[in-house]
Amino acid sequence: MTQFRSPGYPAILRLPTALRRNAILCAVAFIFITIWLWVSNPCVGGSCHVNQTVEKLRSTVLAEDGFPKQFPKKIWQTSNITKADMWANQTASWLQQNPDWSYELITDELSTAFVEDRFADRPALVAFWKELQVTIVKADFIRYLAMLAEGGVYSDMDTTNYKPMKDWIPEPLRGETINAIVGIEYDDNTYPMFVRPISFCQWTLMSKPKHPIFEAAVSRVMYHLEFLARVQRTTLGGLKLSKNEVLEATGPGTFTDAVMEVLRDRVGGDLTYQDFHNMQEPTLFGDVLVLPINAFGFGQKHSHSNDPNYGDILVRHHFGRSWYQPRPPKKSENKPKEVEGTEKHVPGERQDTKQEAEMKPADKEGTGGKEAKKQAPEEDGKETNDEDGEKVLKTNPSTVVASRLDSIKGQPTIGKISILYGKPNPTYERALRLHDVQNQYYGYPMFILRENLLHGLWSKPAYILSVLLQELAKPKQSRLKWLMWFDGDTVVMNPKIPLHVFLPPQPDFAHINILVTNDHQGLNNGVFFIRVDVWSAELIAAVVAWKTFRPEIRLRFNDQSALENVLAYDKFKPAVAYVPQRWFNAYLGLSRDGRRVNLPNSVKDGDYMVHFAGKQDGVREARMDWWMDTAEQHLPKWEPELPQTKYEDEIRKFWAKGVMDGSYKG
């Protein structure tokens, strides 16, 4: 039988069957191995010029399996003992807001032991740490190491926690897989210190252990510093770094690059900075939750920081800026300047950020304003032009306007009264200083109770009664005629408004002895005017005695509800005027979700005062700080003279109507 053979078949197909099968399998295996090597290492053969260091970094940030379900409940901070004492109040805020979290302070003395213990299996990293000598570099590095080793929350010593960490993840996202949380620090184009359009904050961090972001950050820090040492022809211990080199090598620059690298691995390489621009809501990228500017970056002068549309306030950074000391002043400079980082500082007051040390934007209203022009210092009380050519009064909160004081003649007729006792509160003390501006403007005396008189909130009416009696004990011609009570959580926005403008016109309304305001829940006695009169002493005495003689009546708001009840009595009711709330007791005007809305009682440009009443979702002081930042600038739009406001017309119309029961809205 003739065997069929095709002369066109390749020689391999003419081999015996077993040999042919083995040859084909070897060929397939060779092709597969070649393709795999090419994909896994595109630089094989030397034909690729991709930075091999970057590729090495990428290999360290592959997703780790086995993240714990919950974030470790541990708060980390780093400092030396002196600074830890300085910022004790801020540290206390973290413990108070998160009582079930543990706390660990890594001091300078303990830092090496920490690294040796947590990274004993990485001797090269331990050796690298021991050789480093630059303090700020080690401060940046160890926060990444703490997050990498154990996770939890890291935050700088000069930060205040305004919201418990359990509430940092919004309710709709709590079922998602979230292994790290970062916040935006910068989203603007006004500061040349930032070379990226977006920068992620690294003064507050939240992560589960071994997250790739922090592996990438650690790798980048080591690479950058070793490179700089080679450039300087020195060792790690001999490194000398400029401000910009610190920001880039270990600070927000390298951290931002690490975050972007990992997020691109998580969601795709086409992720850009534009995906984070104008972010107003927490957004999940893979397993990383990115928070808008206000979360960690509230209180800055850029990037819509302070705008309530850009997220909830979780943390306030007070920018102690002790990490950087600029050049000392030249001998030719007339006025000596304090070296940054050694100036006197009240914890809780706003400080310039690292990038703001040499930049002074004029507008702090948080809408990404223009870069300020450098100007010579102005003398107090002098007028100068702002960027738009408007006249700005240059005065600090404790100075007086001489022309105003010269116009004040005779005995003052209106005094202010409030209480502030207990644990020192820098925010409320700062608000008092803004009242001082107006007091010196018009010569108003101010009475402040510094010791608690009665239990609970009842010291307020008790102190009002004591001041009333004190004034009534004076000869009539020496008495004040009115007192204005104000709560400590008020901020004077326009000290140019004289208090007498609110008083009832004489003689038609001489029978009115108290001016109060209502909000949506009834009477709010955060700010009110009361005449120095026997009628007033009897009224307040009845308030103080209410709990004793009417214990069966439940008081929803303690002394406030007691005053509301007493004012309804026939004995007092005819002498009460309920005036529009916005006159002197304006609110922020917040919706239930915390957004600013334009309500009849919302504070407007040129209004006298804003009152931060209610619970304020635990961020009262943060909001007050922002508004005080604005008030202390004495901006023309917030401080017009009385004739340039709507007050005179509104007040005239109000009294002309003669409707004082609270139904008139103005």
Side-chain angles (χ1 to χ4, degrees), residues 95-398:
L95 303 178
Q96 291 164 2
Q97 293 282 4
N98 310 280
D100 57 336
W101 284 54
S102 63
Y103 176 85
E104 183 164 343
L105 174 67
I106 306 177
T107 63
D108 295 347
E109 295 76 16
L110 298 176
S111 57
T112 297
F114 171 87
V115 174
E116 288 176 331
D117 178 67
R118 274 32 172 224
F119 296 94
D121 59 339
R122 298 174 69 169
L125 190 155
V126 174
F128 181 94
W129 170 266
K130 288 181 176 181
E131 191 174 357
L132 278 178
Q133 299 298 321
V134 183
T135 302
I136 180 56
V137 164
K138 299 185 82 168
D140 282 334
F141 195 30
I142 202 163
R143 70 189 63 187
Y144 306 145
L145 294 175
M147 291 295 96
L148 181 62
E150 292 194 23
V153 168
Y154 168 86
S155 200
D156 281 358
M157 295 296 300
D158 56 347
T159 58
T160 299
N161 181 205
Y162 285 115
K163 199 168 186 178
M165 273 96 81
K166 64 182 179 62
D167 298 329
W168 285 11
I169 299 175
E171 184 68 35
L173 295 176
R174 290 180 186 172
E176 302 291 336
T177 298
I178 299 175
N179 295 323
I181 298 177
V182 298
I184 291 176
E185 177 189 4
Y186 180 81
D187 177 13
D188 210 338
N189 58 4
T190 57
Y191 289 96
M193 297 290 292
F194 288 96
V195 296
R196 298 162 185 77
I198 296 288
S199 182
F200 293 106
C201 168
Q202 43 98 251
W203 60 68
T204 300
L205 308 164
M206 188 170 188
S207 178
K208 296 175 183 177
K210 295 183 172 57
H211 196 277
I213 283 178
F214 296 99
E215 187 67 64
V218 167
S219 297
R220 285 179 176 273
V221 168
M222 295 175 71
Y223 171 80
H224 289 319
L225 295 181
E226 287 175 339
F227 173 78
L228 289 172
R230 290 195 298 272
V231 170
Q232 295 181 19
R233 299 182 182 278
T234 186
T235 63
L236 287 172
L239 268 176
K240 304 293 183 184
L241 300 178
S242 69
K243 181 179 180 180
N244 285 346
E245 285 172 335
V246 171
L247 292 171
E248 280 299 302
T250 66
T254 200
F255 182 69
T256 297
D257 291 345
V259 172
M260 289 298 291
E261 176 187 337
V262 173
L263 294 187
R264 283 171 177 148
D265 283 346
R266 292 289 194 260
V267 301
D270 56 350
L271 186 76
T272 68
Y273 290 114
Q274 190 63 31
D275 293 302
F276 305 92
H277 181 54
N278 282 337
M279 180 183 289
Q280 296 185 356
E281 299 289 343
T283 305
L284 191 59
F285 295 82
D287 67 340
V288 180
L289 181 64
V290 179
L291 304 177
I293 184 73
N294 276 342
F296 299 158
F298 176 83
Q300 300 182 89
K301 302 175 185 176
H302 53 71
S303 311
H304 297 284
S305 174
N306 313 305
D307 184 336
N309 292 317
Y310 286 76
D312 293 337
I313 305 162
L314 308 182
V315 173
R316 177 69 185 268
H317 189 204
H318 301 292
F319 299 105
R321 63 180 181 177
S322 60
W323 73 282
Y324 173 66
Q325 294 185 354
R327 64 163 180 83
K330 297 179 180 178
K331 292 182 179 180
S332 60
E333 293 175 353
N334 295 325
K335 185 178 179 180
K337 300 179 182 179
E338 293 178 314
V339 177
E340 291 186 33
T342 62
E343 63 271 34
K344 292 181 180 179
H345 171 59
V346 179
E349 290 190 350
R350 192 195 187 287
Q351 300 292 299
D352 291 336
T353 61
K354 298 176 184 178
Q355 69 271 16
E356 291 166 346
E358 300 170 355
M359 309 295 297
K360 298 289 182 183
D363 189 356
K364 293 186 183 178
E365 293 195 37
T367 54
K370 304 171 185 176
E371 179 180 336
K373 300 176 182 178
K374 292 186 178 180
Q375 299 178 351
E378 300 288 342
E379 296 180 19
D380 287 340
K382 298 288 185 180
E383 283 189 341
T384 184
N385 292 329
D386 69 1
E387 289 182 330
D388 300 317
E390 297 185 83
K391 294 292 184 182
V392 182
L393 181 65
K394 291 293 181 180
T395 178
N396 64 50
S398 63

Side-chain angles (χ1 to χ4, degrees), residues 516-517 578-585 650 654 664-666:
V516 293
T517 63
Y578 293 85
V579 302
Q581 185 182 356
R582 213 200 83 246
W583 283 8
F584 49 75
N585 194 19
E650 289 181 3
F654 172 82
Y664 177 70
K665 300 301 180 185

